């Protein structure tokens, strides 16, 4: 009989705030993991426990109370931390500790005076590594997905116990892997992951039949059965669909079954779920190069971060046939070194890895990708799709993605990541060379020095940075910029010498390493050319140059001012080009056509609008005061969606609804109702249970990024016009500030409002009412928002006084 027995104490804290807060609850429980020979699985059992509330001696934010269910009165009568600390220390003793994101809890304890030296294992870290395809690694999500025993979420003792059950489940999931993969992972754990070593060391090598897969996305609409009728479109056409049309998934399924040789560009990855795997084109920046992966597998010793990258990639390859590493949830340190296993045009074109071969698009069938992937393949990989027609979805997303593909951006981190693939300038990153030559060290130091000077020159004062600084003629003549000309010139010379050094190293290397050296040399020369252009003596009026700052990094950016000539060159790579979109507002349609130079494109309505009933638009006639707003919330009828301009306002509204005594009302808010995945899972559950007493509160940014589909809603409240929304780029496209606003920012904001209303109109539920609480819509911005609303006969516009 195989013996496997591990003991530890699982611990969790609830705190008043994640950064500068106080402890308000401690929970810890003894856990024993043991192998069940009969059941062929690991089983968890629990022993002594310790739990107590703590009086934090401060006023606790209502959001923290709402999340945990703890009351202010309970905390006031609880013991103080100074009296509880010795009890916690005695209970933990010198035992192995565990918990979900336990490093956070241990750091919090240290800051509160309890400095433990215990060894620990983090179930968050284990879940991230062994369940890399999970949509979320939050404890709440995994407990729900695996249906683990749990009484309450966000209570210390319950979360401590859940972490114990989760470790049991992770180990049993590991035992479903093929034996060869188990052995590979154990070997890497032994070499690179010391915190996992003891837990994995004695696991039995027994093949267990897998009962279910790792967590996958819950944000996938149900597939719609489509007909086999082919979809026809005319080249050089913007195919316009009515506002209420919500059948993009049906279109994609019909397109996928057709024999059209086409490339279909999608605005959002969610739509890729509706097409066959063998008809998807992976984004080149997220494509796995199996030849680079083979090299990484052959390395004897890897850093902890590199070891996790390898384990996650091996699990991805086992569970899917995809080369798309974006389906893996990578941590920030892992993303920094992913370049060692991802595809590069100048490397993969030479060794023809699986991804490079897949770009030949064999057969008479359409292929699907995000639009950004198509633009990247055309601009950076130089792929020609001359035998395929191109159909792009969503004009605004097309313009955004195309602009992004033309933008050149360099910063110190990006340059160092390019070098570290070949040379070991980052100890955590695996590199093709094991030694750091003097030439590489010198150029790395020169890069550090230059960007340090750049950061210092443009720092306004300590801890204060400008977000965007336009490098126009006036700025080029200014004292700050001229200080950088000589350092930039010196760096360009050293980069030229470094490229010559790389050329000389190619003579004595094997073919694959020659390709890596050549790829790095091409990038170094591109950086040199960039510096020559950015810091050159003459201003290039056809380009926009700007610096983007924060407290840690400086980006140098160049983007063409006029996209039309670049768009014409891009179209030549295809047999024909068309775009399909919802019916855009006139102002936004004209703007996007102008930006891309689509004057020769005809707009064609391909389906009549469906009568879905009127949408009432109520606009506040004056600014709504705080007291008036509270009264308005009290009278708002669910189900409703509230869109706030920022997280501060979201917090205020969430607190207001949390005070409500409505027992059956379900109030969910972005970042306050669990992780994004948990929030979507709770929305899905509410929909299945036909929960109608629902209030969903989102920020503008979260709405556009994560909520293409809304739950059933009868009321939509928009607090502020969406100038803050993604896509409203910084004011850099023209010299005149007002001209730039009216010609660039305003059309985008109108389009963002259009998207808000479109998604709401497409959500289940009637009749529908919209409240826009920003009175500027009536008086400002040349009344472009009102003109937009008047375009659509389904909108019934009126004003309301909420005072």
């Amino acid at each position: 009989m195989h013996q496997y027995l591990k003991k530890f104490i699982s611990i969790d804290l609830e705190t008043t705030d994640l950064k500068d807060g106080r402890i308000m609850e401690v929970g810890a429980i003894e856990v024993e993991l043991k192998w069940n020979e009969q059941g062929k699985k690991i089983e968890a059992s629990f022993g002594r426990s310790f739990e107590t509330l703590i009086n934090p001696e401060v006023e606790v934010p209502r959001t923290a109370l709402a999340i945990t269910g703890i009351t202010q009165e309970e905390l006031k009568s609880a013991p103080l931390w100074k009296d509880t600390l010795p009890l916690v220390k005695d209970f933990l003793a010198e035992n192995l500790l565990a918990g979900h994101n336990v490093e956070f809890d241990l750091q919090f304890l240290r800051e509160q005076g309890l400095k433990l030296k215990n060894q620990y294992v983090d179930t968050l870290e284990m879940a991230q590594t062994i369940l890399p395809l999970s949509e979320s690694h939050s404890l709440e999500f995994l407990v729900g997905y695996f249906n683990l025993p749990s009484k309450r979420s966000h209570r210390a003792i319950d979360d401590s116990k859940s972490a114990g059950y989760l470790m049991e489940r992770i180990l049993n999931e590991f035992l479903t892997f093929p034996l060869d993969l188990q052995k590979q992972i154990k070997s890497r754990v032994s070499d690179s992951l010391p915190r996992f070593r003891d837990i994995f060391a004695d696991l039995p090598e027994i093949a267990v039949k897998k009962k279910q897969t790792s967590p996958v996305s819950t944000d996938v609409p149900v597939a719609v059965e489509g007909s086999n009728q082919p979809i026809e479109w005319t080249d050089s056409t913007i195919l316009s669909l009515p506002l209420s049309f919500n059948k993009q998934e049906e279109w994609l399924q019909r397109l996928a079954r057709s024999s059209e040789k086409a490339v279909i560009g999608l605005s959002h990855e969610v739509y890729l779920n509706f097409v066959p795997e063998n008809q998807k084109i992976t984004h080149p920046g997220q494509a796995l190069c199996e030849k680079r992966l083979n090299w990484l597998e052959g390395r004897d010793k890897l850093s902890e971060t590199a070891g996790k990258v390898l384990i996650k990639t091996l699990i991805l390859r086992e569970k899917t046939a995809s080369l798309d590493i974006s389906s893996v949830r990578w941590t920030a340190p892992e993303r920094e070194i992913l370049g060692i296993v991802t595809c590069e045009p100048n490397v993969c074109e030479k060794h023809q890895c699986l991804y490079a071969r897949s770009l030949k698009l064999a057969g008479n069938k359409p292929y699907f990708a995000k639009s950004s992937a198509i633009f990247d393949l055309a601009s950076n990989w130089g792929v020609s799709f001359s035998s395929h027609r191109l159909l792009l979805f969503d004009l605004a997303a097309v313009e955004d993605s195309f602009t992004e593909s033309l933008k050149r951006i360099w910063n110190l981190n990006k340059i160092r990541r390019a070098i570290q693939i070949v040379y070991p300038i980052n100890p955590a990153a695996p590199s093709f060379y094991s030694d750091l030559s003097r030439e590489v060290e010198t150029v790395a130091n020169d890069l550090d020095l230059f960007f340090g000077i750049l950061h210092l020159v443009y720092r306004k004062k300590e801890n204060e940075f400008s977000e965007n600084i336009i490098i126009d003629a006036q700025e080029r003549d200014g004292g700050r910029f001229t200080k950088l000309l000589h350092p930039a010139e010196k760096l360009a010379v050293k980069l030229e010498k470094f490229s010559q050094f790389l050329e000389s190293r190619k003579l004595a290397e094997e073919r694959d390493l020659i390709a890596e050296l050549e790829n790095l040399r091409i990038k170094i020369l591109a950086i040199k050319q960039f510096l020559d252009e950015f810091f050159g003596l003459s201003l290039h009026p056809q380009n926009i140059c700007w610096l983007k700052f924060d407290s840690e990094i400086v980006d140098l950016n160049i983007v063409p001012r006029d996209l039309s000539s670049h768009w014409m060159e891009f179209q030549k790579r295809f047999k024909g080009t068309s775009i399909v979109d919802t019916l855009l507002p006139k102002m936004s349609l004209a703007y996007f056509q102008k930006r891309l130079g689509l004057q020769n494109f005809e707009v064609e309505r391909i389906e009549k609008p469906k009568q879905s009933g009127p949408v009432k638009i109520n606009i506040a006639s004056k600014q709504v005061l705080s007291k008036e707003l509270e009264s308005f919330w009290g009278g708002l009828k669910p189900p409703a969606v509230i869109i706030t301009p920022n997280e501060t306002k979201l917090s205020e509204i969430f607190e207001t609804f949390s005070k409500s005594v409505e027992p059956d009302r379900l109030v969910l808010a972005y970042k306050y109702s669990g992780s994004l995945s948990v929030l979507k899972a709770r929305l899905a559950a509410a929909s299945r249970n036909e929960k109608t007493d629902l209030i969903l509160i989102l920020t503008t940014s979260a709405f556009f990024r994560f909520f293409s589909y809304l739950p059933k809603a009868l009321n939509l409240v928009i607090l502020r016009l969406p100038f803050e929304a993604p896509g409203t780029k910084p004011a850099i496209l023209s010299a005149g500030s007002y001209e730039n606003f009216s010609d660039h920012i305003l059309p985008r904001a109108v389009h963002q409002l259009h998207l808000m209303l479109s998604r709401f109109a497409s959500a289940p539920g009637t009749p529908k009412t919209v409240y826009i609480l920003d009175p500027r819509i009536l008086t400002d911005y040349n009344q472009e928002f009102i003109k937009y609303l008047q375009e659509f006969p389904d909108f019934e516009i009126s004003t309301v006084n909420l005072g």
Side-chain angles (χ1 to χ4, degrees):
M1 179 183 291
H2 187 90
Q3 296 295 320
Y4 179 85
L5 181 63
K6 305 294 177 184
K7 296 181 179 181
F8 56 87
I9 292 180
S10 182
I11 184 171
D12 183 69
L13 306 178
E14 296 301 330
T15 61
T16 61
D17 191 85
L18 294 179
K19 292 184 179 180
D20 302 318
R22 303 280 189 90
I23 298 171
M24 62 181 187
E25 188 177 32
V26 179
I29 190 167
E30 293 177 337
V31 186
E32 180 179 278
L33 297 177
K34 191 174 183 179
W35 173 249
N36 180 327
E37 182 66 29
Q38 185 176 1
K40 301 297 183 186
K41 62 181 180 179
I42 304 292
E43 289 185 341
S45 60
F46 300 89
R48 297 182 307 127
S49 64
F50 175 92
E51 63 175 314
T52 182
L53 293 172
I54 305 291
N55 184 344
E57 302 180 84
V58 296
E59 188 73 19
V60 181
R62 289 189 175 273
T63 49
L65 297 176
I67 290 171
T68 61
I70 300 170
T71 66
Q72 193 76 55
E73 290 71 24
E74 288 176 313
L75 293 175
K76 287 180 180 178
S77 61
L80 301 177
W81 170 245
K82 66 181 180 64
D83 300 322
T84 310
L85 187 153
L87 302 177
V88 176
K89 186 176 181 180
D90 288 344
F91 186 84
L92 300 180
E94 297 180 357
N95 292 286
L96 174 69
L97 302 181
H100 205 71
N101 196 17
V102 71
E103 292 187 35
F104 166 84
D105 299 291
L106 297 178
Q107 177 62 30
F108 227 96
L109 289 173
R110 281 192 289 270
E111 292 173 355
Q112 301 294 318
L114 181 52
K115 299 179 180 180
L116 300 170
K117 297 182 179 179
N118 303 54
Q119 297 295 312
Y120 67 89
V121 60
D122 194 333
T123 55
L124 171 61
E125 188 181 11
M126 284 183 65
Q128 289 170 332
T129 307
I130 305 302
L131 308 174
L133 301 179
S134 173
E135 180 187 349
S136 170
H137 292 114
S138 74
L139 183 61
E140 187 177 2
F141 176 83
L142 293 171
V143 165
Y145 179 83
F146 288 124
N147 196 27
L148 302 178
S150 178
K151 294 181 180 179
R152 301 168 296 182
S153 179
H154 298 293
R155 291 302 299 265
I157 192 64
D158 295 281
D159 284 353
S160 295
K161 199 169 185 178
S162 293
Y165 278 122
L166 178 59
M167 190 180 296
E168 168 200 273
R169 188 53 192 254
I170 292 170
L171 294 176
N172 286 321
E173 280 287 309
F174 173 80
L175 292 174
T176 67
F177 296 168
L179 284 177
D180 286 347
L181 180 56
Q182 290 184 37
K183 291 177 181 179
Q184 278 183 290
I185 293 174
K186 280 185 177 181
S187 174
R188 292 301 173 182
V189 165
S190 178
D191 290 344
S192 305
L193 307 178
R195 286 191 294 276
F196 293 3
R197 196 174 293 149
D198 183 58
I199 295 292
F200 280 81
D202 304 324
L203 280 172
E205 293 184 354
I206 298 175
V208 180
K209 287 186 179 180
K210 185 169 177 56
K211 295 182 179 179
Q212 64 181 25
T213 59
S214 294
V216 293
S217 172
T218 59
D219 187 32
V220 181
V222 177
V224 179
E225 291 294 331
S227 68
N228 290 315
Q229 180 182 355
I231 294 178
E232 298 181 356
W233 70 87
T234 307
D235 292 337
S236 301
T237 303
I238 299 175
L239 306 171
S240 177
L241 306 179
L243 175 66
S244 60
F245 187 80
N246 193 29
K247 293 185 178 180
Q248 185 159 326
E249 58 267 31
E250 181 182 344
W251 259 57
L252 297 178
Q253 291 170 349
R254 289 170 59 190
L255 279 169
R257 292 193 294 268
S258 73
S259 58
E260 180 73 48
K261 292 188 71 171
V263 176
I264 315 295
L266 306 176
S267 59
H268 197 286
E269 58 269 11
V270 69
Y271 292 116
L272 288 170
N273 292 311
F274 300 109
V275 298
E277 191 67 36
N278 64 354
Q279 289 178 247
K280 297 178 185 178
I281 303 174
T282 300
H283 195 294
Q286 299 164 346
L288 177 67
C289 173
E290 90 282 358
K291 297 200 173 184
R292 282 179 158 188
L293 176 62
N294 292 340
W295 173 86
L296 187 63
E297 283 187 86
R299 295 293 296 268
D300 291 334
K301 294 286 186 179
L302 293 174
S303 69
E304 181 175 331
T305 303
K308 290 178 181 177
V309 166
L310 178 56
I311 290 171
K312 289 183 172 185
T313 308
L314 292 174
I315 295 172
L316 168 72
R317 297 294 284 146
E318 169 61 31
K319 291 185 173 292
T320 73
S322 174
L323 296 174
D324 188 354
I325 66 170
S326 68
S327 57
V328 173
R329 292 186 69 85
W330 305 101
T331 64
E334 291 162 0
R335 285 194 295 270
E336 284 293 310
I337 68 170
L338 278 181
I340 197 66
V341 295
T342 53
C343 292
E344 287 277 359
N346 303 303
V347 174
C348 296
E349 287 169 345
K350 290 182 171 64
H351 64 214
Q352 283 295 294
C353 62
L354 286 175
Y355 181 73
R357 297 199 301 273
S358 74
L359 296 178
K360 295 177 182 178
L361 306 188
N364 293 324
K365 57 185 177 182
Y367 287 83
F368 299 81
K370 283 195 66 176
S371 294
S372 57
I374 297 171
F375 296 139
D376 197 356
L377 288 169
S379 60
N380 295 323
W381 285 66
V383 177
S384 176
F385 302 96
S386 56
S387 61
H388 289 72
R389 299 170 71 194
L390 175 65
L391 184 64
L392 297 170
F393 277 75
D394 300 327
L395 186 53
V398 169
E399 191 272 334
D400 268 343
S401 297
F402 187 65
T403 302
E404 197 66 23
S405 72
L406 297 176
K407 184 170 72 173
R408 287 175 290 155
I409 174 173
W410 288 103
N411 57 47
L412 180 60
N413 285 356
K414 184 178 179 181
I415 301 172
R416 289 179 69 92
R417 283 198 300 268
I419 297 174
Q420 76 188 20
I421 293 173
V422 182
Y423 294 103
I425 62 173
N426 177 359
S431 306
F432 284 97
Y433 281 107
S434 58
D435 298 323
L436 188 65
S437 65
R438 180 179 56 82
E439 288 84 356
V440 181
E441 186 174 10
T442 298
V443 79
N445 290 336
D446 289 335
L447 287 163
D448 291 346
L449 178 62
F450 174 75
F451 278 93
I453 294 171
L454 176 60
H455 206 261
L456 184 63
V457 165
Y458 273 91
R459 185 165 62 183
K460 292 156 70 176
K461 60 183 180 182
E462 189 172 0
N463 299 324
E464 183 181 347
F465 295 83
S466 295
E467 186 173 331
N468 286 288
I469 298 175
I470 309 304
I471 307 301
D472 54 14
Q474 181 178 354
E475 181 60 38
R476 284 176 180 265
D477 294 334
R480 294 184 299 183
F481 192 78
T482 54
K483 289 179 182 178
L484 296 168
L485 297 180
H486 183 59
E489 183 180 353
K490 288 176 63 177
L491 179 60
V493 171
K494 290 176 180 177
L495 291 175
E496 175 66 39
K497 290 182 179 179
F498 185 53
S499 73
Q500 295 170 5
F501 164 75
L502 295 173
E503 181 69 27
S504 68
R505 293 300 300 263
K506 290 163 49 180
L507 300 176
E509 298 296 350
E510 297 180 357
R511 183 180 66 178
D512 286 350
L513 191 50
I514 290 174
E516 298 288 352
L517 287 166
E518 176 62 16
N519 182 54
L520 177 56
R521 192 182 75 87
I522 290 171
K523 288 188 174 182
I524 293 298
L525 289 176
I527 299 164
K528 178 189 177 299
Q529 181 181 355
F530 183 96
L531 292 174
D532 289 339
E533 182 175 345
F534 199 96
F535 295 97
L537 296 178
S538 59
L539 178 66
H540 300 280
Q542 71 273 22
N543 288 334
I544 304 160
C545 301
W546 78 98
L547 302 171
K548 186 174 182 179
F549 274 77
D550 63 27
S551 60
E552 297 178 355
I553 198 168
V554 189
D555 291 340
L556 295 95
N557 301 269
I558 297 178
V559 69
R561 191 180 299 274
D562 180 18
L563 305 184
S564 55
S565 61
H566 299 278
W567 176 260
M568 292 299 295
E569 288 299 315
F570 166 73
Q571 285 190 94
K572 292 177 182 178
R573 296 184 178 275
F574 296 87
K575 190 175 180 180
T577 303
S578 287
I579 296 168
V580 61
D581 209 325
T582 54
L583 184 59
L584 283 167
K586 293 177 182 177
M587 182 184 196
S588 301
L589 175 62
Y591 165 74
F592 290 122
Q593 283 185 285
K594 180 181 178 182
R595 281 286 289 157
L596 291 175
L598 302 180
Q599 283 79 2
N600 61 327
F601 274 57
E602 298 292 332
V603 178
E604 178 182 341
R605 175 77 66 86
I606 59 175
E607 185 166 320
K608 292 182 180 180
K610 293 184 178 180
Q611 297 299 320
S612 57
V615 177
K616 296 182 179 179
I617 310 288
N618 294 320
I619 304 172
S621 58
K622 63 181 183 63
Q623 185 176 354
V624 183
L625 302 178
S626 298
K627 289 184 178 180
E628 297 168 346
L629 193 58
E630 286 193 19
S631 176
F632 174 73
W633 298 138
L636 183 64
K637 300 296 183 184
V641 177
I642 302 170
I643 303 178
T644 71
N646 51 53
E647 290 186 20
T648 300
K649 182 59 70 173
L650 182 145
S651 175
E652 292 175 6
I653 296 171
F654 182 62
E655 285 191 28
T656 298
F657 278 102
S658 297
K659 299 175 188 176
S660 172
V661 294
E662 301 281 347
D664 296 327
R665 176 171 290 177
L666 177 62
V667 181
L668 299 176
Y670 175 65
K671 287 194 175 182
Y672 288 93
S673 299
S675 66
L676 179 65
S677 300
V678 169
L679 173 58
K680 289 188 174 182
R682 294 179 70 179
L683 285 172
S687 177
R688 288 192 300 269
N689 297 330
E690 298 184 352
K691 178 74 174 177
T692 58
D693 205 2
L694 170 69
I695 301 290
L696 175 62
I697 312 172
L698 305 172
T699 61
T700 303
S701 177
F703 173 85
F704 284 114
R705 292 177 63 193
F706 307 125
F707 289 86
S708 299
Y709 295 84
L710 289 175
K712 182 177 181 179
L714 303 183
N715 293 291
L716 172 69
V717 182
I718 302 171
L719 268 73
R720 188 180 300 170
L721 293 173
F723 290 107
E724 303 88 349
T728 52
K729 297 175 182 176
I732 58 174
L733 290 182
S734 67
S737 59
Y738 180 76
E739 177 190 357
N740 183 62
F741 179 85
S742 60
D743 289 350
H744 179 73
I745 295 178
L746 185 55
R748 287 178 168 275
V750 169
H751 176 62
Q752 299 291 352
L753 179 61
H754 169 73
L755 287 179
M756 287 180 170
L757 300 181
S758 298
R759 292 181 190 177
F760 173 63
S762 299
T766 56
K768 292 187 177 295
T769 303
V770 178
Y771 296 91
I772 302 177
L773 306 187
D774 191 337
R776 295 176 298 173
I777 193 172
L778 298 169
T779 56
D780 296 352
Y781 315 124
N782 200 26
Q783 293 195 308
E784 291 293 350
F785 289 101
I786 286 292
K787 293 175 186 175
Y788 150 65
L789 293 175
Q790 292 170 344
E791 286 182 41
F792 296 94
D794 284 349
F795 292 156
E796 293 183 0
I797 308 169
S798 61
T799 59
V800 291
N801 186 346
L802 301 181

